Amino acid sequence: MNHYAVWGNPIAQSKSPRIHALFGQQTGKAISYVAKLGDEQQFENQLQQFFAEGAKGANITAPFKERAFALADLHSESCLQAEACNTLKRLEDGRLYADNTDGVGLVSDLARLGWLTPKQRVLILGAGGATKGVLYPLLQAGQQITVYNRTVEKAVALAEKFAKFGSIQTACMAEISEQSFDLIINATSLGLQGKYVELPQQVLAQAKVYDMQYAPNMRTPFLNYARSQGAIMCQDGLGMLVGQAAYAFKLWEDTLPEIEPVLRLLTAEMEIVT
């Protein structure tokens, strides 16, 4: 049996153990997968001990993605561009290989929804780690990206870093008001405080709206706001969560599980009757 875990702080809320248990059942792979609370001071020691005891892989979530990236010996291209790691694999020689499957998780979910077409205009809200983790795969998929961030300098720095991979620019709110977008992606963490970025009504109403965060019945603060402004096509990030997990599972077990059945089950488990 291969042993895995997801490391974060906090971690009790993680759905990863449930997702990977379902993947194991679906593919017939005998795995164990648990949630581990990382210590802010001892995380590197904890992780090294975990692998020393024979673990084959790990998922990494906030606030340890950059620290796991620094600890790894080898990195995928997505991981190098994100400068953060959400998946680690112990190689046969004991070295740690780091990947970032957040971006492919998002791209696969957009494809599942039929929301991924070449050269579509995509507005991404936020210029933090979540955005950094998905820009490379989105640009590889031929998306024309505009980044908005309250602190303009952060958005400009990201655009400059990723310009070599495709079409990416920044915009202030006044410039957004004068443009139209096919897809709007919320990559901010404002929803955790019940907040959201306010956008011009005409911009929201004409675009597909995707929130990387997720909630029962897709009722995140941003999606609730988007619907109130006339947005018709709205989706939360539960499919991205299952997608990134599926590609981590593939890295470890060399089998890509089916995302749709697991997503349907998780959605049903999260539904709140109103």
Side-chain angles (χ1 to χ4, degrees):
M1 179 177 287
N2 291 327
H3 298 281
Y4 305 101
V6 57
W7 290 83
N9 189 339
I11 200 61
Q13 81 289 351
S14 176
K15 296 191 180 300
S16 292
R18 175 68 171 145
I19 292 170
H20 284 278
L22 292 169
F23 286 162
Q25 293 170 19
Q26 180 195 118
T27 60
K29 300 282 189 177
I31 68 165
S32 72
Y33 187 110
V34 297
K36 295 275 194 179
L37 181 65
D39 182 87
E40 290 280 1
Q41 278 71 47
Q42 296 296 320
F43 170 69
E44 285 80 4
N45 292 335
Q46 288 178 313
L47 198 60
Q48 287 172 329
Q49 182 63 31
F50 176 69
F51 282 109
E53 292 170 356
K56 186 175 180 181
N59 283 133
I60 310 296
T61 189
F64 300 121
K65 289 185 178 183
E66 290 80 9
R67 289 167 68 171
F69 174 86
L71 195 64
D73 303 292
L74 300 168
H75 305 80
S76 71
E77 186 64 27
S78 291
C79 196
L80 286 172
Q81 298 309 322
E83 297 178 342
C85 157
N86 80 330
T87 305
L88 287 170
K89 178 179 181 179
R90 181 173 60 83
L91 303 177
E92 293 297 325
D93 60 8
R95 291 183 298 170
L96 291 181
Y97 175 79
D99 198 0
N100 191 311
T101 64
D102 287 331
V104 68
L106 173 60
V107 169
S108 71
D109 198 39
L110 294 175
R112 177 187 69 85
L113 294 164
W115 289 14
L116 191 70
T117 55
K119 296 184 179 179
Q120 69 176 350
R121 296 156 299 175
V122 180
L123 173 63
I124 300 183
L125 306 176
T131 299
K132 204 172 182 182
V134 302
L135 281 178
Y136 177 71
L138 283 172
L139 290 168
Q140 292 290 102
Q143 307 302 284
Q144 297 181 342
I145 294 174
T146 299
V147 179
Y148 167 80
N149 194 66
R150 185 176 58 182
T151 306
V152 178
E153 291 78 12
K154 286 188 70 176
V156 169
L158 270 191
E160 290 176 349
K161 172 180 167 62
F162 285 91
K164 60 187 174 184
F165 299 115
S167 174
I168 182 169
Q169 62 182 0
T170 64
C172 66
M173 193 57 70
E175 292 167 330
I176 288 172
S177 302
E178 298 171 354
Q179 299 180 48
S180 63
F181 299 93
D182 302 300
L183 173 64
I184 298 171
I185 299 175
N186 176 40
T188 75
S189 59
L190 291 173
L192 299 175
Q193 293 86 44
K195 301 176 182 178
Y196 46 82
V197 176
E198 293 189 14
L199 292 171
Q201 189 272 336
Q202 74 274 11
V203 173
L204 271 173
Q206 65 190 2
K208 299 180 288 289
V209 181
Y210 191 101
D211 193 347
M212 285 193 194
Q213 296 183 350
Y214 59 89
N217 299 350
M218 294 195 293
R219 293 291 178 182
T220 68
F222 181 68
L223 291 183
N224 286 340
Y225 163 70
R227 291 187 193 97
S228 76
Q229 299 300 303
I232 298 172
M233 301 181 71
C234 295
Q235 189 72 37
D236 74 358
L238 190 62
M240 175 182 172
L241 176 71
V242 179
Q244 63 80 26
Y247 283 93
F249 189 93
K250 181 178 187 292
L251 177 65
W252 299 328
E253 295 288 336
D254 201 30
T255 300
L256 182 65
E258 292 183 47
I259 293 170
E260 195 73 44
V262 174
L263 179 56
R264 283 199 303 267
L265 186 55
L266 278 184
T267 299
E269 291 174 353
M270 288 177 61
E271 280 181 356
I272 296 175
V273 177
T274 56

